[in-house]
Amino acid sequence: MAYFLWRLYKNFEGEILAIPGKTVAFFGILFLFCLYFIPIHPYVLRILTFSAIFAIYAASWDLLYFAGQLNLGHGAFFGVAGYVAAILDLQLHLPSGVAIILGAIGSVICGLILGIPALRMRGPYLAILTLAFPVILTGVVFALPDITGGELGLSGISSLSESDLSVYYICLVVMLLSVLIMLKLADTRSSIVRTGIVFKAMAEDEIAARTSGINTPRYKLLAFAVSAFFAGISGGLYVYVIKVAGPSTFHPLFSIHPVIWTIFGGAASIYGPVAGVFILYPFWGGLFAATPELRMIIFNALIIIIILFMPEGISHWFRDRTERMCPRCKLINSRRRSSCRACSAAL
Amino acid sequence: MDILISGIQLGAIYAILSIGFSLILGSARIIFLTYAVFYMLVGYFWYIVNTLFGMNLILSASLAVVMTVALGIGTYKLCVERIRQHETTVILITLVLAFFFEECVLLGFGSQLRNVPAFIPGYVELLGVKVLNQYSLTLAVSLVLIFLIWLFLWKTKLGIAIRATSQDREVVNLMGINEKRMSMIAVGVGIALAGIAGVMVAPIYLLEPTMWTEPFIMVLAIVILGGLGSIKGSIIGAYILGYAQVALVYLVPMGSFIRSSVALAAMIVVLLIRPEGMFGVLFEEERL
Amino acid sequence: MVRKSIIVGLIVGLFVLLAAAPKPVAQPIKIAALGPMKVTPGENQWRAAELAAEEINEAGGVMVGGVKRSVRIIKTDTSEEVSATDAVAAIEKVITVDKVDFLVGTHRTESTLAMQDVAMKYRKILIVTGAASPIVCERVGTDYGKYKYTFRTWINSAFMGRAMFASLEDLSRLVKRELGIEKLKLAVFSEKLVWADPVVKAAETLAPKMGMEVVGVWRPSAAATDVTPELRAIQTSGAHIIYTATSGTMGVVMCKQWGELKVPAVMTGGHSHACVKGFWKATGGYGNYVPTFTGIGPAKITPKTLPFWNKFVKRFDEFPGYESSTYDAVYLLKEAIEKAGSLDSDAIVAELEKIDYVGAYYPRITFFPKGDKYAHDLRFGPGYATGVTNQWLDGDVKVVWPYGWEGITYEGSKPYTFPPWFLKHWKK
């Protein structure tokens, strides 16, 4: 038993403590889990709950971006799942987990609907197409007010759980699971899960990928489907936390948020958007408490500045400063080391 | 009859807006999404100049357009030019800038509607249909503008240079044309068009920080329908979609709220069948 | 050396902090004024509440179990127009960080429902003054224990429909008499939003019974900037009256273009944006003769109405809108607190359920009792709350309804004024 624990610790030391980025991530997550023991202000708790939900949302966008598809209408997936879950909850009284998953499946269907025309387009055309999607859905919402509640939305959705704290933990756990799954899907070095490397290949050079025998249309659709699924999960969680499903999630600005969080946090790396959300959203919440009038302006200005001067995003910038890859064995080391921890080559 | 006249009016406004956007998109290949916001900003500048300084209407309108163009070029140079090759980032930053400007106006003016007096108040009864004089003026201005743009792009040296950059950016550099400057001029002219559309329209509609979102969507749809890089396509597309909107309002009055969605759906259909639009020119690297 | 000065600095700082620490005083009663503060309706909600608070404080404050306490209004921007998330965050913050005791206001129904849940969770009394959907108070019926802290001092849309319709009926009688015709044509114009659906449906079914033919229903988007196509179609249809229901900016555009094009049809109904002074400037004066249903007008609805109206206009250069019943809401809370002798929410709920108060807005403010279909909603009817229709005339508004309805005419009202071009068109 002691041996097992000692091995666990050694693994921990080797894998996580050795790399500053991972250390930060590990302790950050640990902290998030330990909120039970800290007396926490309900406002802060709510901010963190939303952060967890939006982290899933942003990460799902990033997965699609990783596969080379720029989606400016991601809010559509988020919102659709919310509406489906809301309807299932209000009309059929399904348990929350089931409703959310079915909502996410609804998003997947949307993802495929969006994905099919997207197969034919690249770059700016794709972006404009995706921009159009939530707008069209807004029209649908208003056209069928009996089902969707029009501008009022659907309200009175039941709670995920009794206390705010348990709701928070549910969101946190779902976030971790989703992010881990998405990390695995985007992992280019895994030999079991091949989607990572396929997506990356498609993103870099689609024609070359095709000539290598990769069925790009199928993988593109897969990317849309998975991305929509996780966006749907976050959308479902969202309506259960806020108890209302409304058309506000189809607003173009809401679809831009994951883009901002991801670019800020570090694009095309699933941990980047998570970091981005957990930095930006509490910042936004704090700004809100401090200067409600100026917050949008400060926020937007900040985004513009960050994009201009740190275009690769915070997590990449951080990693560049703290990590170095060993030239011989390609293992990632902390920059403070003078020699690689595995092969002793000079760094 | 009503449909005919309303359609012409709407088409005229959309035409001015689309030509501007098409110019920037076609020549400079910049997806300058902030474009539509200038249509709104010019109205507010005009309001400021007119109300605060009490200047004559036409003079203040011109000043407003100039101010907007200056702001536009400034924004372009500051934020967009340096990251032009990262198309994704350009899209993102121009969109964020658009919302940023909207927020600034909201902060400065509140979201109450503002009114600017018309150049020629009143209306004229034309074939049994009441037509606001301002609308007729807009139509006239639109026709003049189209003529001027045609003159500029086809007959002047600068115009031909801009058209050349829209066809092939790299070769143009080899030919001794300063491609960067051409792009900037295209941006400037485009924004000027948006500004003019804005001042034409401000007396009819009311000034509101969010007034640019609906035309924005329409312009996107029109430019894609007409074809990227084609002025002719944008004009025709503007009238087609303008008429489509008006027809919808008349034939299905209960459905008039859905006009934007219909326009977008049309745009998607076009994108699916023929991404270049009706008359568009596609760069080699964009072809799939 | 540097380190020492830091330590000294810290100690001094600590003393300063301790000295500046708030000393125990009689805490003011904190009431949050919730609303979208970037737009006039939200701002008005706060202003009216401020007025009430100032008056109460000047008169000595609120007597709570033997101690006089002042009232403080916390202005809370909910950005309801933009996002429900922000509204929820705002209300959560104002309850947990600012620690308010009561909440008044809210504007849009979507956000109100979300905010209501938060307020109920913390068992804080919320008096809704803006959102009109019946759902807000229906919840009191479905889950009394949780939602009993909700009250509303604005007429809900069910009653609003009734009032606007009565106004329409009165107007149709006036038109028939003025033009000497028996059958009128009615055009229905409303924005395409859910709250207006029952209004439109009611008009379609009830109009024929009033001897009016519905010639068309036009429903542009609430954000439309140009409705000349619709207005022209209305003219072509030969309508005499346009029954309107708008809450967005499209209403202003419609009124302006209606005046510019001199559409020969009179209007009645409601335009939320026509309740405020900015409307006149926004329409460039073309909004003349436009009537709108609202909560208060410059007439003697109660002895308190005109003093409040004049004070509000003089101080803020703006008309109090229907959402500014926060003035009465604050006074209601004062009444209830003093009767209950404490700030305990449950005790105050009991008092509010019994209350019968003369407000500035309504002659008699009472709420439907627990168990009623409209529990905790404002009682509507002659002698209770009726609302008024104000008509714009040369830059000012005059109350034109009720004018003889159910025997009620508030002193200072005028009969409806027809636009000259309307009379000219039909009396050729």
Side-chain angles (χ1 to χ4, degrees):
Chain A
M1 182 65 196
Y3 175 71
F4 173 73
L5 285 174
W6 179 77
R7 287 284 335 185
L8 195 67
Y9 176 70
K10 272 296 174 191
N11 269 332
F12 174 70
E13 196 187 353
E15 287 296 316
I16 298 181
L17 286 183
I19 302 171
K22 286 200 185 161
T23 318
V24 169
F26 179 79
F27 282 106
I29 305 225
L30 194 64
F31 172 70
L32 287 177
F33 262 104
C34 289
L35 287 186
Y36 180 72
F37 306 106
I38 311 174
I40 195 158
H41 197 280
Y43 183 64
V44 178
L45 187 66
R46 189 173 269 272
I47 297 260
L48 288 176
T49 313
F50 281 130
S51 300
I53 295 178
F54 291 141
I56 307 177
Y57 177 47
S60 69
W61 183 87
D62 194 34
L63 187 65
L64 197 56
Y65 184 65
F66 180 71
Q69 316 293 313
L70 176 65
N71 183 359
L72 292 183
H74 209 56
F77 304 144
F78 189 89
V80 165
Y83 270 105
V84 172
I87 296 176
L88 290 176
D89 177 76
L90 290 173
Q91 305 290 340
L92 300 177
H93 301 290
L94 293 179
S96 51
V98 176
I100 293 181
I101 296 200
L102 285 178
I105 293 185
S107 288
V108 170
I109 297 177
C110 273
L112 292 174
I113 295 178
L114 185 59
I116 294 177
L119 291 177
R120 295 199 50 167
M121 290 177 233
R122 292 216 284 84
Y125 299 92
L126 179 68
I128 295 178
L129 169 72
T130 55
L131 203 60
F133 204 52
V135 178
I136 296 184
L137 281 178
T138 320
V140 170
V141 162
F142 280 91
L144 305 170
D146 303 313
I147 308 177
T148 63
E151 79 276 11
L152 299 181
L154 300 167
S155 56
I157 303 172
S158 31
S159 301
L160 266 183
S161 165
E162 291 84 43
S163 78
D164 280 345
L165 199 60
S166 40
V167 169
Y168 166 73
Y169 273 106
I170 294 177
C171 293
L172 191 62
V173 168
V174 173
M175 177 195 90
L176 277 176
L177 278 176
S178 314
V179 171
L180 283 173
I181 297 177
M182 284 193 268
L183 270 173
K184 204 64 190 155
L185 285 174
D187 189 357
T188 48
R189 278 184 266 168
S190 163
S191 46
I192 315 169
V193 180
R194 297 231 319 272
T195 52
I197 202 163
V198 168
F199 285 159
K200 190 141 195 247
M202 278 199 320
E204 278 190 24
D205 192 334
E206 189 172 338
I207 300 185
R210 266 179 119 158
T211 48
S212 308
I214 297 176
N215 187 346
T216 43
R218 188 200 295 177
Y219 276 96
K220 269 196 200 174
L221 284 179
L222 182 68
F224 269 100
V226 175
S227 170
F229 180 76
F230 284 109
I233 297 270
S234 64
L237 282 174
Y238 180 73
V239 295
Y240 272 92
V241 171
I242 205 176
K243 311 275 182 34
V244 175
S248 50
T249 46
F250 291 135
H251 193 271
L253 201 55
F254 189 70
S255 296
I256 301 294
H257 283 163
V259 184
I260 294 177
W261 289 320
T262 305
I263 303 248
F264 178 82
S269 67
I270 310 295
Y271 53 84
V274 177
V277 170
F278 273 99
I279 297 178
L280 280 182
Y281 195 72
F283 178 63
W284 168 256
L287 262 187
F288 182 75
T291 57
E293 300 86 33
L294 295 178
R295 60 196 166 112
M296 270 296 251
I297 296 216
I298 297 181
F299 195 70
N300 281 344
L302 189 71
I303 301 296
I304 295 175
I305 296 177
I306 298 277
I307 291 182
L308 288 179
F309 292 109
M310 231 198 299
E312 73 270 21
I314 282 228
S315 58
H316 291 314
W317 175 85
F318 182 75
R319 285 189 79 179
D320 280 338
R321 298 273 178 289
T322 60
E323 293 172 8
R324 197 178 317 161
M325 187 155 59
C326 166
R328 194 192 294 172
C329 67
K330 304 268 185 272
L331 187 67
I332 297 183
N333 284 287
S334 159
R335 204 172 255 267
R336 286 178 295 144
R337 297 184 65 94
S338 47
S339 64
C340 171
R341 52 198 172 106
C343 64
S344 308
L347 285 175
Chain B
M1 194 68 255
D2 257 346
I3 301 186
L4 191 68
I5 299 198
S6 303
I8 295 187
Q9 293 166 354
L10 207 56
I13 300 169
Y14 284 146
I16 305 180
L17 275 177
S18 322
I19 296 177
F21 191 65
S22 181
L23 204 59
I24 302 179
L25 193 55
S27 312
R29 279 297 194 232
I30 300 169
I31 306 183
F32 199 46
L33 293 179
T34 324
Y35 176 79
V37 160
F38 294 116
Y39 160 83
M40 178 266 288
L41 282 175
V42 79
Y44 276 96
F45 280 143
W46 190 19
Y47 178 78
I48 298 176
V49 173
N50 190 27
T51 327
L52 293 185
F53 299 124
M55 248 192 256
N56 158 280
L57 274 183
I58 298 190
L59 210 61
S60 48
S62 323
L63 189 59
V65 174
V66 169
M67 283 164 75
T68 314
V69 172
L71 180 67
I73 296 195
T75 313
Y76 169 72
K77 276 222 144 329
L78 202 63
C79 302
V80 179
E81 203 176 29
R82 60 177 78 185
I83 45 173
R84 250 180 84 177
Q85 59 273 40
H86 299 130
E87 281 183 344
T88 317
T89 326
V90 169
I91 294 181
L92 182 64
I93 216 178
T94 51
L95 208 51
V96 171
L97 272 170
F99 285 113
F100 176 71
F101 283 135
E102 183 186 320
E103 271 302 309
C104 286
V105 171
L106 198 63
L107 201 70
F109 287 93
S111 69
Q112 293 135 325
L113 305 171
R114 306 273 165 172
N115 177 53
V116 188
F119 287 128
I120 311 176
Y123 66 95
V124 154
E125 194 121 4
L126 198 70
L127 303 169
V129 176
K130 287 182 180 160
V131 178
L132 287 175
N133 282 341
Q134 186 68 13
Y135 259 129
S136 321
L137 188 64
T138 310
L139 184 61
V141 167
S142 145
L143 289 172
V144 167
L145 270 182
I146 293 180
F147 176 69
L148 283 178
I149 292 280
W150 173 80
L151 206 66
F152 174 64
L153 286 180
W154 261 261
K155 298 288 182 196
T156 65
K157 250 188 172 175
L158 193 58
I160 298 181
I162 292 185
R163 269 197 309 135
T165 52
S166 83
Q167 289 186 341
D168 196 326
R169 272 211 337 248
E170 287 160 7
V171 172
V172 147
N173 262 324
L174 294 175
M175 294 287 160
I177 300 177
N178 186 346
E179 184 256 331
K180 254 185 157 182
R181 172 137 22 117
M182 292 301 121
S183 303
M184 194 179 81
I185 294 181
V187 170
V189 172
I191 296 182
L193 283 172
I196 296 180
V199 293
M200 281 295 110
V201 142
I204 308 179
Y205 308 163
L206 293 168
L207 291 183
E208 194 194 6
T210 50
M211 67 192 270
W212 58 279
T213 32
E214 207 199 315
F216 172 57
I217 297 176
M218 294 304 290
V219 166
L220 275 184
I222 291 171
V223 158
I224 293 198
L225 175 69
L228 287 185
S230 162
I231 307 289
K232 183 172 48 165
S234 301
I235 300 176
I236 298 183
Y239 277 96
I240 293 183
L241 280 182
Y243 267 102
Q245 268 203 352
V246 169
L248 183 69
V249 167
Y250 268 86
L251 303 175
V252 191
M254 292 278 273
S256 61
F257 65 96
I258 230 177
R259 352 188 237 211
S260 316
S261 306
V262 167
L264 284 179
M267 175 189 89
I268 293 182
V269 167
V270 171
L271 276 181
L272 283 177
I273 304 175
R274 198 189 144 86
E276 314 84 84
M278 294 191 294
F279 302 99
V281 174
L282 215 54
F283 275 170
E284 205 43 59
E285 59 267 15
E286 288 169 1
R287 228 175 278 281
L288 185 57
Chain C
M1 227 27 246
V2 177
R3 212 175 265 172
K4 236 204 208 160
S5 46
I6 294 181
I7 296 181
V8 170
L10 279 173
I11 296 179
V12 171
L14 205 63
F15 269 112
V16 171
L17 268 171
L18 284 172
K23 298 171 189 54
V25 224
Q27 286 282 343
I29 302 175
K30 293 195 249 186
I31 305 183
L34 301 163
M37 293 302 160
K38 290 208 193 85
V39 274
T40 316
E43 192 86 29
N44 274 355
Q45 272 165 330
W46 169 73
R47 287 167 170 161
E50 263 301 299
L51 266 187
E54 279 174 8
E55 287 175 9
I56 294 178
N57 291 339
E58 259 165 53
V62 182
M63 179 73 79
V64 187
V67 181
K68 276 251 178 199
R69 289 167 69 167
S70 61
V71 176
R72 215 178 95 194
I73 308 287
I74 312 261
K75 184 177 180 186
T76 314
D77 186 358
T78 54
S79 288
E80 292 171 59
E81 316 284 302
V82 178
S83 105
T85 329
D86 282 349
V88 166
I91 196 178
E92 182 109 33
K93 166 187 171 264
V94 87
I95 295 180
T96 54
V97 175
D98 298 298
K99 300 212 191 330
V100 294
D101 304 294
F102 304 101
L103 302 132
V104 299
T106 85
H107 190 62
R108 283 197 51 187
T109 306
E110 183 190 341
S111 321
T112 304
L113 294 174
M115 288 194 278
Q116 186 186 22
D117 278 325
V118 178
M120 296 304 115
K121 181 174 81 178
Y122 289 100
R123 308 190 103 90
K124 295 284 181 196
I125 294 194
L126 168 68
I127 301 189
V128 177
T129 62
S133 165
I135 305 178
V136 174
C137 287
E138 256 167 43
R139 289 169 148 188
V140 179
T142 47
D143 189 347
Y144 182 76
K146 179 170 173 201
Y147 287 100
K148 64 181 177 186
Y149 306 99
T150 309
F151 290 85
R152 173 160 41 200
T153 54
W154 169 229
I155 303 172
N156 73 29
S157 48
F159 294 126
M160 213 194 310
R162 244 188 261 179
M164 295 204 315
F165 229 75
S167 182
L168 171 64
E169 205 174 357
D170 287 350
L171 181 62
S172 71
R173 245 178 277 141
L174 286 173
V175 173
K176 282 185 198 169
R177 196 182 59 200
E178 186 76 29
L179 300 182
I181 42 183
E182 263 315 303
K183 219 157 195 280
L184 292 182
K185 296 200 174 142
L186 180 72
V188 180
F189 184 96
S190 110
E191 58 195 13
K192 180 80 179 127
L193 288 181
V194 167
W195 75 270
D197 286 343
V199 172
V200 171
K201 253 190 267 230
E204 285 178 299
T205 39
L206 295 174
K209 300 200 186 115
M210 283 198 263
M212 288 193 276
E213 178 199 340
V214 178
V215 289
V217 178
W218 283 268
R219 303 199 65 180
S221 137
T225 46
D226 179 20
V227 292
T228 45
E230 283 91 343
L231 284 170
R232 270 201 288 269
I234 290 180
Q235 177 166 352
T236 319
S237 72
H240 300 94
I241 306 184
I242 310 178
Y243 185 56
T244 64
T246 75
S247 72
T249 53
M250 186 268 290
V252 185
V253 175
M254 186 259 187
C255 295
K256 172 169 179 249
Q257 293 176 335
W258 172 84
E260 271 183 315
L261 288 176
K262 296 203 169 61
V263 177
V266 286
M267 279 202 257
T268 183
H271 291 288
S272 291
H273 277 257
C275 302
V276 293
K277 239 181 184 215
F279 174 79
W280 184 255
K281 271 197 11 222
T283 57
Y286 284 109
N288 209 4
Y289 304 109
V290 170
T292 176
F293 183 75
T294 177
I296 190 174
K300 194 161 170 228
I301 306 177
T302 78
K304 298 187 188 168
T305 311
L306 283 172
F308 167 67
W309 178 276
N310 292 330
K311 200 163 163 198
F312 194 97
V313 174
K314 190 155 148 233
R315 169 117 167 237
F316 301 113
D317 192 26
E318 185 51 87
F319 297 140
Y322 66 86
E323 66 287 317
S324 310
S325 63
T326 45
Y327 180 80
D328 281 337
V330 172
Y331 269 105
L332 275 179
L333 285 169
K334 168 173 182 282
E335 289 285 313
I337 294 173
E338 292 188 338
K339 288 216 180 79
S342 81
L343 294 181
D344 174 52
S345 293
D346 290 310
I348 302 207
V349 168
E351 287 304 327
L352 282 174
E353 284 180 336
K354 295 190 284 200
I355 208 164
D356 193 340
Y357 177 77
V358 179
Y361 269 69
Y362 317 112
R364 256 181 95 178
I365 300 186
T366 89
F367 299 109
F368 287 100
K370 164 182 177 186
D372 186 285
K373 174 167 151 192
Y374 296 113
H376 288 195
D377 232 326
L378 190 62
R379 195 180 278 272
F380 168 82
Y384 294 93
T386 63
V388 292
T389 300
N390 290 345
Q391 186 180 27
W392 276 94
L393 288 169
D394 298 321
D396 199 4
V397 291
K398 289 277 177 267
V399 178
V400 296
W401 182 89
Y403 202 78
W405 176 71
E406 305 272 351
I408 301 183
T409 307
Y410 298 123
E411 185 187 316
S413 315
K414 275 184 67 171
Y416 191 97
T417 309
F418 292 105
W421 66 83
F422 173 76
L423 296 172
K424 212 166 75 163
H425 177 96
W426 290 104
K427 283 188 166 177
K428 303 206 251 267

